[in-house]
Amino acid sequence: MPADPLHRAGKSQRSTTSQPTNGSRASAIEVRRSARRRRTVSAYREGDRTVVLIPARMSEAEEQRWVTVMLDKLAAQESRRALGDTELAERARRLSAQYFDGRARPASVRWVTNQNTRWGSCTPSEGSIRLSHRLQGMPEYVVDYVLCHELAHLLVPGHGPRFWRLLEAYPKTERARGYLEGVVAAERLPHVPAARDE
């Protein structure tokens, strides 16, 4: 999302910096409030920071909600820049190092287009992980969760208590599962035609 020219002119009332609340690649979040900004909220990356621009009148609760919304939007945009199989395998390697002490070592990690009822799959005997193409465009933390889920299967094949304890290492497990459950629920909703303006 483009930078706001008003913000660059230094008209913001206050700015705060905090740690990111989602799977963002940025190391900090800076919220900038502007008295001249009435309703719009925007965000962009600035180096290793994410800058979120909001109206000055917003409450702290609204600020927190909008920061989460904008981080998810940015993550989805970045995820849409198609990760190839090579980048996906590198991402899996980094996640294994971060959450499983590097013990989960897949032989291959790739996108597939034949998984329409599952988000991912793993064949531990071959060390292969496959992710559904339907994940492309979802927030980074969701893709990372599915990768962690499949990486955990390289260490524990089933879905027993040991598997779920292992997966608890990934801090956004519940949030990502909720997101995916929401996607599945939305797919089941009846299609309602858009109202026509008269």
Side-chain angles (χ1 to χ4, degrees):
M1 293 177 187
D4 181 326
L6 176 64
H7 159 257
R8 279 197 239 172
K11 304 272 187 194
S12 59
Q13 282 187 345
R14 126 184 126 86
S15 68
T16 59
T17 304
S18 62
Q19 291 304 310
T21 56
N22 77 351
S24 163
R25 66 176 170 74
S27 63
I29 301 161
E30 183 176 334
V31 176
R32 297 179 185 167
R33 292 175 173 259
S34 169
R36 294 175 66 181
R37 185 176 282 270
R38 296 286 176 221
R39 293 184 303 197
T40 61
V41 176
S42 61
Y44 61 93
R45 303 285 192 205
E46 187 176 80
D48 66 346
R49 259 189 318 194
T50 301
V51 178
V52 181
L53 308 167
I54 64 172
R57 62 170 178 71
M58 262 191 196
S59 69
E60 292 294 319
E62 289 175 308
E63 175 184 312
Q64 287 180 345
R65 184 177 69 83
W66 275 106
V67 164
T68 300
V69 166
M70 298 312 289
L71 287 173
D72 284 349
K73 278 189 175 186
L74 284 173
Q77 285 176 346
E78 290 162 355
S79 187
R80 269 187 223 108
R81 295 180 195 124
L83 281 177
D85 290 348
T86 303
E87 292 89 358
L88 197 61
E90 174 57 25
R91 197 162 171 176
R93 188 196 63 72
R94 284 195 317 268
L95 290 167
S96 176
Q98 186 172 1
Y99 298 112
F100 306 114
D101 298 321
R103 293 178 295 130
R105 297 186 186 120
S108 68
V109 182
R110 61 191 174 93
W111 295 108
V112 293
T113 57
N114 63 350
Q115 289 188 7
N116 294 315
T117 58
R118 293 186 291 180
W119 298 114
S121 62
C122 174
T123 306
S125 62
E126 297 173 4
S128 63
I129 292 175
R130 294 159 306 281
L131 263 58
S132 172
H133 72 286
R134 296 180 307 137
L135 288 165
Q136 293 174 329
M138 291 189 187
E140 281 183 5
Y141 73 92
V142 175
V143 176
D144 286 352
Y145 161 72
V146 177
L147 275 171
C148 283
H149 185 106
E150 303 310 332
L151 286 166
H153 277 309
L154 292 176
L155 303 172
V156 180
H159 284 107
R162 190 168 153 241
F163 170 83
W164 292 110
R165 276 195 304 276
L166 186 62
L167 196 53
E168 285 174 0
Y170 182 64
K172 294 177 179 60
T173 291
E174 288 306 312
R175 184 175 179 197
R177 288 183 66 174
Y179 184 99
L180 293 171
E181 287 169 8
V183 169
V184 170
E187 289 172 352
R188 292 184 185 140
L189 292 174
H191 174 70
V192 179
R196 294 190 337 195
D197 293 333
E198 300 193 15

